Amino acid sequence: MSNPRRIPVMEVFGPTVQGEGMVIGRKTMFVRTAGCDYQCAWCDSAFTWDGTGKDEIRLLSAGEVIQELERIGGSSFDHVTLSGGNPALLPQLGELIVGLHERGIKAALETQGSRWQPWFTDIDDLTLSPKPPSSGMTTDWAVLDDIVERLLNQGSDFCLKVVVFDETDLAYGKSVHKRYADVPFYLQAGNGNLTESEPHLMLPYLVERYEWLIELAMADDELRGVHVLPQLHTWVWGNKKGV
C-alpha cells in the first residue's frame, strides 16, 4: 500500500511565467499533481486524469518535491504554483505548503471549487475557477458557496475566474460574478484548439478569441469590475507541456 502522505506528482517545471489568473505574468515554478474529480470537455491537461499519463506519476514526499524544485529551479524562484488535475483532492499538500513557506517561498493554487481543504487558507494566491457549461460539468453551488464563505470569513486572498468559450459561458460567468460580488473576478478567453503544435499558428486564433471576449465584456454593464485576461502562456508556447 502506498504512503497516503506522498504526493502523486506528474510534472515539476519552471521557472516560467504564470499564464492565468490573479498573478498572471508572475515568475513561478510549477508542481502538477495527478487526479481530478472533473472531466472537462476542453481540458488542456487531461493526461492528469484520463489514464494516458499514468506512467509519469511519481509518489513523492513533500521534502522530495521541494528537493526537485530546488534541483530544477536552483535559487532563481520564490513562488510555486500547484496545478493539476485538481490539487484540492490531496490533503497531504498542506505539508508541502508549510515546507515552502519555511523557505520563504509563496504558494499559488487554481481549483474549480469542488472540494475544500484546510490548507486553502495557507495559499498565498488562490484562484477558484468554477467550470462553465462548455466544460460539460455541473457546478455544485452549495459546495462553492461554503468554500467562498470560509475564505471570506478567514480573510484569505483569493479570486474567482471563469474561462469563456461562448456567450453561454459568459452568461455563466456573469452569474458567478453577481453571486460573489465581493470577490475579485476574472474572465479568461478559452483555448478551443488543443491539437495545434505550432505556437506561431496558434497566436492569431488566440488573439481573435481574446478580442472577442474584450468586446463583449467592455459593453456589458454587469461586468464593471471584471479583469479580462488571455491565457498568456499559450500565446508564447502554444499547447506545449512543461512551460
Side-chain angles (χ1 to χ4, degrees), residues 77-178:
F77 69 96
D78 66 353
H79 191 274
V80 171
T81 298
L82 305 174
S83 183
N86 183 13
L89 299 178
L90 304 173
Q92 62 268 41
L93 283 177
E95 296 176 30
L96 175 59
I97 296 161
V98 169
L100 293 172
H101 284 166
E102 288 174 347
R103 291 161 175 80
I105 298 169
K106 293 184 176 181
L109 169 76
E110 180 172 313
T111 178
Q112 59 261 41
S114 59
R115 185 77 62 91
W116 166 261
Q117 290 291 349
W119 50 258
F120 278 10
T121 56
D122 296 324
I123 292 289
D124 300 285
D125 305 305
L126 174 61
T127 299
L128 302 178
S129 183
K131 305 309 177 188
S134 64
S135 70
M137 300 293 103
T138 301
T139 301
D140 187 329
W141 294 107
V143 172
L144 187 57
D145 285 349
D146 178 66
I147 292 173
V148 170
E149 183 177 5
R150 291 188 194 210
L151 292 170
L152 287 172
N153 287 342
Q154 297 186 55
S156 297
D157 183 17
F158 75 106
C159 73
L160 284 154
K161 188 194 80 177
V162 172
V163 178
V164 176
F165 286 83
D166 54 36
E167 293 194 26
T168 302
D169 287 353
L170 184 62
Y172 172 90
K174 288 166 62 175
S175 72
V176 171
H177 186 35
K178 183 176 181 180

Side-chain angles (χ1 to χ4, degrees), residues 32-37 43 45 48-49 83-88 110-112:
R32 186 183 300 281
T33 61
C36 194
D37 49 335
C43 180
S45 52
T48 61
W49 52 261
S83 183
N86 183 13
E110 180 172 313
T111 178
Q112 59 261 41

Side-chain angles (χ1 to χ4, degrees), residues 10 47 51-57:
M10 300 203 73
F47 62 91
T52 60
K54 63 181 184 299
D55 294 337
E56 301 174 40
I57 299 173

